[in-house]
Amino acid sequence: MNIQNIRKDFPILKQEIYGKPLIYLDNAATTQKPVSVIEAMNDLYFRLNSNIHRGVHYLSEESTSAHENARKYIADFIHAKHTHEIIFTRGTTEAVNLVAFSFGEKNIQQGDEILVTEMEHHSNFVPWKMLAERKSAKLIVLPFEEDGSLSLEKFQSAITEKTKIISITHVSNVLGTINPVKEMIRIAHEADVPVFVDAAQSIQHLSVDVQDLDCDFLAFSGHKIYGPTGIGVLYGKEKLLDEMPPYQGGGEMISSVSLDKITYNELPFKFEAGTPNYVAAIGLQAAIKYLEDIGMQDVIKYEHDLFAYATEQLLQIEGLKMIGTAKKKTSVLSFVMDGIHPYDMGTMLDKTGIAVRSGTHCAEPVMQHYGISGTIRASVALYNTKAEIDKLVENLNKIQMILS
Ligand code: PLP
């Protein structure tokens, strides 16, 4: 992997912020886009733009087939058995809402239990809580251990005969923990409970194979895997998706409408009401192709080494406490510093050209667990370097001196 060549693919990284070279370490929030992604979308607008699925003319047929090729490409990338198991959404959040609403409508009754963990992003917590409230069901929250890992024993005992669905994050966006989702799914399936995997923070850093995991649902966002905003993916097993009612009504999700009867379309269109973001779907395909052209295994290895280096260097800073110290982690480094508010540190780092995120990262229960108001979060991607980590450490030390 030639990192300098890779960096050249990302035009945004070339700029200076306040006269300092940009060091972008906010990749868990969103990743930057390579030229090939921007060009793929531009090309569609320049040459082929036309609403899909509805036209008989050349442009519509071409953009429809580009959109459906993107679906096939994504299905192959996550090893889905069928292309129609890929539903395009606006992102992970919409995918969770879709399942919480549609699966929940059909399968959740009063007194049933929905199991999530304490480390979920609000996107994978609030929709389930809303479902529980709508149906007078119970949302059971599995706490995490002090190091930010999940206990498989506690997970197993949290499943009861009332548990109807489990939703877990593959990688925590605050703690960086890689959860043993394959093992958790196996345990859940022994009790016949389907599992939803939030892959928003894993799809860009790990190999994700839905058949190997045997997950029932899985979701991710395009913008976190070097693709555009406004597009995401919900994978669901064919049988489950077939049995679920539509989530939104409108064009595309119907096969026929009369004044007194509506017949719904087949998968995947049943869940794609309205004009889809076909331009972003093509951008997402280009992003995945970009990763595959580099080689996912090379990306994983590079990021693993960079992450280990960053962890080691950060831990040498006096007064810095890492939040989340599980054995298996990726990409995300959350920390607090003695006597320094995360917002102050974030603001001062910005003046040195370094972009990190400070706050609760849409995971307030994690903050409550540790009794903190927020963390500073640096998150790495395939274009970051050890030299950038050195700069981060150097500036953390300098700012610490100034602020204390
Ligand atoms: N789940 C996790 C673990 C996340 O980190 C995020 C975003 O940060 C989301 C879900 C929500 O993703 P989006 O806002 O793209 O829908």
Side-chain angles (χ1 to χ4, degrees), residues 28-30 90-96 119-124 169-174 198-202 204 219-224 231 361-362 377:
T30 199
R90 282 192 296 128
T92 308
T93 304
E94 191 179 45
V96 182
M119 69 171 78
E120 301 309 321
H121 186 281
H122 295 162
S123 292
N124 195 29
T169 192
H170 196 175
V171 169
S172 157
N173 69 311
V174 180
D198 173 352
Q201 296 294 346
S202 61
Q204 64 285 53
F220 64 90
S221 302
H223 70 98
K224 293 190 197 279
I231 188 86
H361 318 297
C362 292
R377 183 184 72 181

Side-chain angles (χ1 to χ4, degrees), residues 247-305:
Y247 165 56
Q248 292 181 328
E252 201 60 55
M253 52 75 71
I254 46 86
S255 68
S256 76
V257 178
S258 71
L259 290 187
D260 27 58
K261 190 168 180 340
I262 297 170
T263 323
Y264 299 127
N265 208 340
E266 58 193 16
L267 290 177
F269 312 113
K270 179 173 87 172
F271 292 111
E272 293 179 351
T275 298
N277 196 343
Y278 52 92
V279 181
I282 280 133
L284 176 56
Q285 174 184 7
I288 293 173
K289 180 168 185 320
Y290 178 80
L291 264 182
E292 290 191 319
D293 286 349
I294 298 173
M296 199 62 203
Q297 289 314 315
D298 288 353
V299 171
I300 292 171
K301 171 148 194 348
Y302 178 80
E303 288 185 354
H304 181 270
D305 293 349

Side-chain angles (χ1 to χ4, degrees), residues 1-4 6 294-295 298-300 302-303 382-383:
M1 222 174 103
N2 183 327
I3 187 69
Q4 287 317 323
I6 284 174
I294 298 173
D298 288 353
V299 171
I300 292 171
Y302 178 80
E303 288 185 354
L382 63 86
Y383 38 65

